């Protein structure tokens, strides 16, 4: 909001801008523009906005007024920008690395999420909202400041891992439902589907954001508190390895006693 007098040219950008005093020429790139009752623009008004400016009947523009309609990019085009595609590929690669080097741990994350999601959400909410306040209280003291700093870095690392595992959980669940297989698949399909599905949910206001946040809380809660209670522990799925059959060789032993060798006949001396 511009309530004071501006003698020179005004160049402004923002979401919602209100001009309610005397200014020079105005160049604006905004979402909405409003000229109040005391607005006097001594020059040209050139602006780009989502819609035409709301001009009070008492407002004055001494020069020319030029309005340009802002381009509204559809949500799916925002999703497929260069930056978003690079982020998607990076997330997929990170999930594939976790699947490759930590398969049993990644599988246990999904198993716990399916077995007891409400418990995981509770742990996640505590870790996300209560833990930072505890760290802040510890950081107040001089002795606790370095400890709180280290713990805060660990907390940030767990948050980042939870974001990644949330997408893996979503992908494994979707693939299992689509393929109707009894066992979830921990593979590249789950990684790709999870990242894409999470991105699509992010384009849906409120509902999509809420679903993504709930899945994140589940993953975050499992990472910070899934092993704190033994009754909540879900054993990782066993890996069955194929082995070649072993054929035991048996020897047949005859029950008949061996015949004694006949004694050699003695030669008579001549």
């Amino acid at each position: 909001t511009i309530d004071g007098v501006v003698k020179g040219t005004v160049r402004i950008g923002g979401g919602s801008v209100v001009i309610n005093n005397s200014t020079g020429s105005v160049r604006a790139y905004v979402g909405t523009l409003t000229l109040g009752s005391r607005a006097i623009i001594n020059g040209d008004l050139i602006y780009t906005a989502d819609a035409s400016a709301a001009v009070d009947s008492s407002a004055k523009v001494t020069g020319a007024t030029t309005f340009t309609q802002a381009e509204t990019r559809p949500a799916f085009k925002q999703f497929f920008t260069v930056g978003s595609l690079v982020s998607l590929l990076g997330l997929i690669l990170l999930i594939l690395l976790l699947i490759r080097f930590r398969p049993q741990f990644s599988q246990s994350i999904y198993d716990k999420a399916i077995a007891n999601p409400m418990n995981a959400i509770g742990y996640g909410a505590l870790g996300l909202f209560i833990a930072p306040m505890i760290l802040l209280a510890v950081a107040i003291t001089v002795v606790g400041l370095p400890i709180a700093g280290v713990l805060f870095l660990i907390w940030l690392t767990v948050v980042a891992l939870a974001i990644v595992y949330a997408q893996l959980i979503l992908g494994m669940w979707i693939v299992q439902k689509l393929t109707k297989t009894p066992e979830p698949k921990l593979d590249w399909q789950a990684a790709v589907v999870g990242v894409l599905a999470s991105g699509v949910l992010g384009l849906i206001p409120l509902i999509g954001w809420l679903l993504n946040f709930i899945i994140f809380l589940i993953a975050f809660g499992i990472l910070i508190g899934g092993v704190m209670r033994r009754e909540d522990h879900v054993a990782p799925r066993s890996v069955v390895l194929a082995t070649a059959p072993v054929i035991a060789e048996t020897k047949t032993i005859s029950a008949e006693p061996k015949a004694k060798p006949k004694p050699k006949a003695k030669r008579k001396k001549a």
Side-chain angles (χ1 to χ4, degrees):
T1 301
I2 300 177
D3 285 326
V5 176
V6 180
K7 294 182 178 180
T9 300
V10 176
R11 300 180 185 275
I12 190 169
S16 180
V17 174
V18 178
I19 299 175
N20 198 28
N21 214 317
S22 177
T23 68
S25 297
V26 174
R27 306 285 191 274
Y29 191 94
V30 296
T32 60
L33 177 64
T34 302
L35 300 183
S37 59
R38 295 187 293 116
I40 301 175
I41 298 177
N42 298 303
D44 298 332
L45 172 61
I46 302 173
Y47 68 102
T48 300
D50 296 336
S52 298
V55 181
D56 190 270
S57 59
S58 300
K60 297 179 181 180
V61 180
T62 61
T65 299
T66 304
F67 165 62
T68 303
Q69 179 74 43
E71 295 182 3
T72 55
R73 181 179 294 179
F76 70 92
K77 288 187 177 181
Q78 296 179 6
F79 184 70
F80 289 105
T81 60
V82 176
S84 62
L85 289 177
V86 172
S87 300
L88 292 177
L89 291 176
L91 283 172
I92 292 173
L93 178 60
L94 184 56
I95 293 175
L96 291 177
L97 290 175
L98 290 173
I99 292 174
R100 173 65 178 83
F101 295 104
R102 298 299 302 273
Q104 291 187 349
F105 180 74
S106 300
Q107 181 67 60
S108 67
I109 293 291
Y110 178 79
D111 292 340
K112 292 174 184 178
I114 298 301
N116 201 343
M118 298 305 298
N119 186 66
I121 290 175
Y123 277 117
L126 290 174
L128 188 63
F129 300 111
I130 304 300
M133 291 189 289
I134 296 176
L135 292 177
L136 182 61
V138 174
I140 293 176
T141 62
V142 178
V143 178
L145 182 59
I147 299 175
V150 174
L151 293 177
F152 181 70
L153 291 177
I154 296 174
W155 182 83
L156 287 179
T157 303
V158 177
V159 168
L161 283 175
I163 294 174
V164 177
Y165 273 114
Q167 299 179 61
L168 179 59
I169 291 171
L170 179 61
M172 292 178 67
W173 183 82
I174 292 176
V175 171
Q176 185 179 11
K177 294 300 181 182
L178 291 178
T179 58
K180 298 181 180 180
T181 55
E183 298 294 334
K185 291 184 179 180
L186 187 65
D187 56 7
W188 66 269
Q189 294 179 354
V192 173
V193 172
V195 171
L196 293 179
S198 179
V200 172
L201 287 177
L203 299 177
I204 304 173
L206 297 180
I207 297 177
W209 303 340
L210 180 61
L211 289 176
N212 269 340
F213 182 67
I214 290 174
I215 300 171
F216 163 77
L217 280 183
I218 292 174
F220 188 60
I222 292 171
L223 288 174
I224 66 171
V227 295
M228 293 179 63
R229 298 173 59 188
R230 295 187 61 183
E231 59 267 27
D232 294 335
H233 177 71
V234 178
R237 300 176 188 271
S238 58
V239 180
V240 180
L241 300 177
T243 57
V246 179
I247 301 175
E249 295 183 358
T250 57
K251 294 183 179 180
T252 305
I253 301 176
S254 177
E256 296 181 359
K258 295 182 179 180
K260 295 182 179 181
K262 295 181 179 181
K264 297 182 179 180
K266 298 182 179 180
R267 295 181 179 180
K268 294 180 180 182
K269 296 182 180 180

